Amino acid sequence: MRDTHALLGPADVRELAGRLGIRPTKTLGQNFVIDANTVRRIVRAAELTPEDVVIEVGPGLGSLTLALLPEVRRVTAVEIDPSLAAALPETVAGRAPDLAGRLHVVQADALRITAAPRSDPASGPASGAASGAASGSAAAGVRAASAEPRRGGRGAVRGEPVVLPGPEPTALVANLPYNVAVPVVLHLLAELPSLRRVLVMVQAEVADRMVAEPGGKIYGVPSVKLAWYGDARRAGPVGRAVFWPAPNVDSGLVAFTRREPPATTASRDEVFAVIDAAFAQRRKTLRAALAGWAGSPAQAERALRAAGIDPQTRGETLDVAAFACLAQYGPGGAKDQNEAEEHGEGAFAGDEGDDARDEGDDARGGGAGRDGGHGRPGGGRLQ
């Protein structure tokens, strides 16, 4: 890697922060990387090529940015903090002047990033809904807005959708804050179909949830929704000492490769709706948990049987392909509801026992699941 002398060390990070009057805050999840070997390791794990266009969320003081620039065609750094966004080009110009032309800084909320208008028939209507939490660097908060997208640039209004300037990004590489890590990854995968690879550093617990397989206790909404877009795997642990200030949790690297979503006639939004419903009450059987989604327990059973799924099973046993199949038979699904009823015919003698069965589910342990549609971070950890 060229220009290794330009990478930031502990003294550099503290000096830059002091000069800018920045004190890392928990609100923005700011834990700055101070170890040059760690950023080199991240770049290696990302398997980048000289033609890649990287989007980096939360570049902070530029530790990872300086390591990325020699390896790729362009880095688009999305930073919500105006002081950090303004300082980053100056830092790069001072430490790696020959690479400064490869950097473009966009001051914006990462959850407001959108692609230029285009159709994406494979994934259906765009949806930024997601859940999760993690540890990391400078942040991207969640703010609702409805406005026409504008071209990104320094000073972009936080509440407006922002279209990234320049060539479409092919990779996401970032040290993500604990409280928005999964929402940011899912949002960018939904909005930027050009993204083929992802390498993110997140809280270790969240890394485990992102790559979890069906059947485990930590398998849930983040695991299934990420699997819609492709294949995720752990790419190694990261200790606490490489950050300033040191967080109270360990971190981990997650690598991701995009592939085509599962075959289904349902849209992505319809698939994600049934995923959210299944895990909102994960202790219940799917027949009970999907009653609200389907309209009644009986209709949930019909849809489940039509999809070839045992109504007495639970959501954590299904992979994303099963959810994609099931969504075809639910509200708004493309499959004829008569087909669902035919598959379910004779499976039960009527609906008289619905209430009793549902009450039994509640008695065995109902209640909201830990992996519901929206993450609720507390103390830096998933609840």
Side-chain angles (χ1 to χ4, degrees):
M1 180 181 295
R2 297 182 286 112
D3 293 305
T4 54
H5 64 280
L7 300 184
L8 300 177
D12 300 314
V13 170
R14 290 183 173 88
E15 188 274 331
L16 276 171
R19 178 151 47 89
L20 295 172
I22 291 173
R23 295 181 178 180
T25 68
K26 291 183 179 180
T27 302
L28 293 182
Q30 291 172 321
N31 298 94
F32 299 113
V33 180
I34 58 175
D35 180 63
N37 287 329
T38 297
V39 294
R40 293 189 189 104
R41 178 184 166 204
I42 292 171
V43 173
R44 286 195 303 270
E47 299 180 348
L48 301 168
T49 74
E51 297 305 312
D52 272 315
V53 176
V54 172
I55 177 172
E56 181 189 3
V57 175
L61 295 168
S63 297
L64 180 56
T65 312
L66 286 164
L68 287 167
L69 286 170
E71 307 301 321
V72 299
R73 174 184 169 195
R74 178 185 176 102
V75 174
T76 300
V78 179
E79 175 57 64
I80 198 171
D81 186 300
S83 298
L84 293 172
L88 184 57
E90 298 175 7
T91 299
V92 171
R95 302 184 72 86
D98 58 322
L99 302 176
R102 300 185 185 184
L103 174 68
H104 190 96
V105 179
V106 175
Q107 183 197 326
D109 180 340
L111 290 178
R112 301 269 62 84
I113 297 299
T114 188
R118 60 183 293 178
S119 61
D120 185 13
S123 59
S127 172
S131 66
S135 68
S137 175
V142 182
R143 295 177 179 85
S146 58
E148 290 300 315
R150 58 174 290 169
R151 288 286 169 181
R154 190 180 301 176
V157 179
R158 291 182 180 182
E160 296 181 356
V162 174
V163 176
L164 295 179
E168 294 182 328
T170 58
L172 166 64
V173 184
N175 169 29
L176 292 175
Y178 81 98
N179 56 339
V180 293
V182 174
V184 163
V185 171
L186 291 175
H187 174 76
L188 293 178
L189 285 171
E191 291 292 324
L192 305 175
S194 59
L195 284 179
R196 308 313 302 172
R197 293 187 310 284
V198 173
L199 194 287
V200 291
M201 180 160 59
V202 298
Q203 180 181 325
E205 181 182 355
V206 176
D208 290 338
R209 288 176 180 265
M210 291 173 75
V211 305
E213 297 289 337
K217 292 182 179 179
I218 61 172
Y219 180 72
V221 171
S223 324
V224 191
K225 289 186 177 179
L226 192 57
W228 168 267
Y229 297 103
D231 301 311
R233 61 179 176 82
R234 284 294 297 264
V238 179
R240 307 178 187 190
V242 304
F243 298 99
W244 174 71
N248 295 323
V249 294
D250 293 324
S251 298
L253 300 178
V254 173
F256 173 88
T257 303
R258 190 191 284 267
R259 55 157 168 70
E260 289 299 311
T264 180
T265 57
S267 70
R268 182 183 63 226
D269 282 351
E270 289 165 348
V271 176
F272 281 15
V274 70
I275 292 169
D276 287 334
F279 287 100
Q281 302 178 82
R282 64 182 298 151
R283 293 183 181 180
K284 290 189 173 185
T285 66
L286 283 172
R287 184 182 189 277
L290 298 180
W293 165 79
S296 72
Q299 287 187 308
E301 180 160 348
R302 291 189 183 97
L304 286 159
R305 292 195 181 279
I309 299 168
D310 182 354
Q312 296 306 306
T313 195
R314 287 172 170 75
E316 58 263 34
T317 65
L318 303 188
D319 62 13
V320 68
F323 280 113
C325 178
L326 176 58
Q328 298 176 128
Y329 299 97
K335 293 282 188 181
D336 191 332
Q337 288 300 308
N338 289 330
E339 183 178 348
E341 291 176 5
E342 290 171 5
H343 280 270
E345 186 177 359
F348 47 94
D351 299 341
E352 294 84 354
D354 288 346
D355 292 339
R357 271 182 283 190
D358 295 337
E359 288 174 3
D361 282 328
D362 288 333
R364 287 190 297 271
R370 290 155 57 93
D371 293 305
H374 297 277
R376 293 177 291 278
R381 305 180 69 86
L382 284 177
Q383 297 300 296

